[in-house]
Amino acid sequence: MVALLALIFGTVVVGSVAAPGTATADTLVLPSRDPFYGSGRDLAKISPGTPLKTRIVQLAYGNKRFPAIASQILFRTTDQFGKPTAAVTTIIEPPVSGPRKVISYHSPYDALGSQCDPSYALRGGNTGRGPEFDDLTIGTLLAQGYTVVVPDYEGLSMRWTMGRESAQTALDSLRAAERHLRLPASTPVGLFGYSGGSVPTGFGADLAPTYAPELNIIGAAAGGVLVQPSHNLPYVNGSAQWAGVIPALMNVYSDVFNLGIRQFLSPKGAAVLAQTQGKCLIDFATKYPGLTDAQLLAPQYPGLLSIPGIPAAFNQNIMGWVGKPRSPMFLGVGNVDGTGDGIMIDGDVQGLATRYCREGVQTQYKSYPKLSHFDAFLPWAPDAEKFLADRFAHRPAKYCTNIPTGNTLGPLPTD
């Protein structure tokens, strides 16, 4: 695998040219200890997408360095609640001349700890993250001549699954990249993301017309799509493979929305939430087979949705309800059991596609029968690449045909 990655990056990537005064970084340091990730500036007076720091970095997998470098930028963005914050993005350029084609690649890094950040992994960190989907997919995109922009879309506070923040960070990453590369606003851009990466992809398409209307987004491809988290919760409750996401989500929602969830926990819940705090997806997703949300809560609370503030918080993260894309959409999901891929729900993706079509959004939907979440990525990725290639080339396509109505989506009742 490492040899294959070296071949891809070694034959495809050329290094970015450092601008005058640009820092270089060859020593690998955890983001939590790396001063590059801190701005130290009053961000309220700086416009979203403004680069704050830039450095040139070596691309690597573990201690195997690729003969390629990339640019990393700390930039100003906006958090879930509209407040200024910062994040980091990585820009990798292909060895081609002529008009640029940019893809914002959204890694499914699903993390509660900054050691999981793509900006760190691409430099050789976090080699225990599992299958190298990121490295191989990025290499494939580079081979097709795309400039690939890889944002740490969860931000510096690791706000996993937060729709607005993930989207705004990804969109501001593109603004920063275009400024760094001196690209015109007319530069065509595609959004690409699977699983956790579907969040900045879908919400990014939703919010782009109002948050970053100058970006020329020509299409968005989202796979293994997280549409309405309140529907996913009962689906993974007691799951043999995915129950570990429940305590991780409880940690994130409590921290982001200041819900004080620890006061509602059972002794087991307190222990399990402590075990998942600060970890990467691979560290917790499959480690608690059969776990339910009720087991994590005190007896008077029958489930997570009974906790004060949780329904309202979940309502903030329903894809398709914060805006309407103006770019064509491709939505895909596996269906291994008649409901979904084991964690994402096919009927929800159908419902989102139906909503988009009713709103006049050009949308394609595809289900991958008998395939689980990880397995469905393998056919989805080339389908997504073709969809975006066709949009960049302005080829005609059929939209909104043979899409099942799917599930009803919408806000939960709140007190």
Side-chain angles (χ1 to χ4, degrees), residues 235-280:
Y235 184 36
V236 299
N237 233 10
S239 166
Q241 185 173 11
W242 291 105
V245 302
I246 299 172
L249 285 172
M250 290 169 71
N251 271 320
V252 170
Y253 271 83
S254 180
D255 291 345
V256 172
F257 295 98
N258 195 27
L259 300 179
I261 205 166
R262 285 156 187 82
Q263 65 185 299
F264 306 109
L265 298 177
S266 65
K268 178 176 182 175
V272 172
L273 263 68
Q275 291 165 7
T276 60
Q277 187 69 51
K279 300 295 181 61
C280 304

Side-chain angles (χ1 to χ4, degrees), residues 153-177:
Y153 58 82
E154 291 184 13
L156 302 182
S157 299
M158 309 310 301
R159 288 180 166 175
W160 175 41
T161 71
M162 296 297 117
R164 285 185 178 274
E165 185 155 348
S166 296
Q168 289 161 177
T169 302
L171 295 172
D172 285 328
S173 159
L174 286 166
R175 285 169 159 165

Side-chain angles (χ1 to χ4, degrees), residues 20-374:
T22 298
T24 58
D26 294 320
T27 303
L28 192 62
V29 180
L30 282 167
S32 59
R33 301 176 183 175
D34 189 341
F36 181 77
Y37 290 75
S39 68
R41 297 171 63 179
D42 182 2
L43 299 178
K45 300 179 181 179
I46 299 173
S47 61
T50 300
L52 305 172
K53 296 179 184 178
T54 304
R55 68 183 181 185
I56 302 301
V57 298
Q58 176 82 50
L59 297 178
Y61 184 82
N63 61 2
K64 304 293 184 181
R65 293 190 173 193
F66 302 140
I69 57 176
S71 301
Q72 288 190 336
I73 299 174
L74 178 77
F75 61 95
R76 194 275 207 196
T77 187
T78 308
D79 74 5
Q80 184 78 6
F81 307 103
K83 296 180 179 179
T85 185
V88 170
T89 193
T90 304
I91 305 168
I92 313 172
E93 302 176 61
V96 296
S97 58
R100 294 270 190 170
K101 300 180 297 180
V102 176
I103 285 187
S104 186
Y105 175 78
H106 306 140
S107 165
Y109 65 113
D110 302 341
L112 307 185
S114 62
Q115 74 277 11
C116 322
D117 284 343
S119 60
Y120 179 66
L122 287 168
R123 296 178 59 208
N126 193 27
T127 54
R129 64 188 183 277
E132 292 77 50
F133 293 143
D134 286 346
D135 310 81
L136 292 171
T137 306
I138 291 170
T140 300
L141 294 171
L142 290 164
Q144 296 174 59
Y146 297 111
T147 296
V148 182
V149 181
V150 189
D152 294 356
Y153 58 82
E154 291 184 13
L156 302 182
S157 299
M158 309 310 301
R159 288 180 166 175
W160 175 41
T161 71
M162 296 297 117
R164 285 185 178 274
E165 185 155 348
S166 296
Q168 289 161 177
T169 302
L171 295 172
D172 285 328
S173 159
L174 286 166
R175 285 169 159 165
E178 290 188 354
R179 290 181 65 168
H180 174 74
L181 298 171
R182 297 182 175 87
L183 301 180
S186 59
T187 301
V189 174
L191 308 182
F192 183 108
Y194 191 83
S195 190
S198 72
V199 176
T201 303
F203 278 89
D206 288 344
L207 290 172
T210 54
Y211 184 79
E214 78 280 8
L215 293 176
N216 181 22
I217 298 175
I218 53 83
V225 190
L226 177 60
V227 179
Q228 181 152 349
S230 61
H231 292 179
N232 297 81
L233 178 62
Y235 184 36
V236 299
N237 233 10
S239 166
Q241 185 173 11
W242 291 105
V245 302
I246 299 172
L249 285 172
M250 290 169 71
N251 271 320
V252 170
Y253 271 83
S254 180
D255 291 345
V256 172
F257 295 98
N258 195 27
L259 300 179
I261 205 166
R262 285 156 187 82
Q263 65 185 299
F264 306 109
L265 298 177
S266 65
K268 178 176 182 175
V272 172
L273 263 68
Q275 291 165 7
T276 60
Q277 187 69 51
K279 300 295 181 61
C280 304
L281 174 71
I282 197 169
D283 298 319
F284 56 74
T286 64
K287 300 299 173 65
Y288 304 94
L291 184 70
T292 67
D293 58 345
Q295 294 171 3
L296 301 174
L297 299 169
Q300 62 268 39
Y301 300 103
L304 184 56
L305 295 179
S306 68
I307 300 299
I310 284 288
F314 271 23
N315 285 346
Q316 288 202 25
N317 292 308
I318 305 172
M319 196 176 291
W321 282 77
V322 299
K324 184 181 77 171
R326 66 185 177 198
S327 57
M329 303 292 296
F330 172 61
L331 306 175
V333 64
N335 192 326
V336 72
D337 57 10
T339 298
D341 64 12
I343 183 169
M344 306 306 182
I345 300 172
D346 195 355
D348 281 4
V349 181
Q350 295 168 6
L352 178 62
T354 297
R355 179 181 177 87
Y356 282 154
C357 288
R358 288 173 177 169
E359 293 178 334
V361 180
Q362 295 177 314
T363 305
Q364 293 181 2
Y365 153 85
K366 188 169 184 178
S367 178
Y368 299 91
K370 301 182 180 180
L371 294 183
S372 66
H373 189 64
F374 286 130

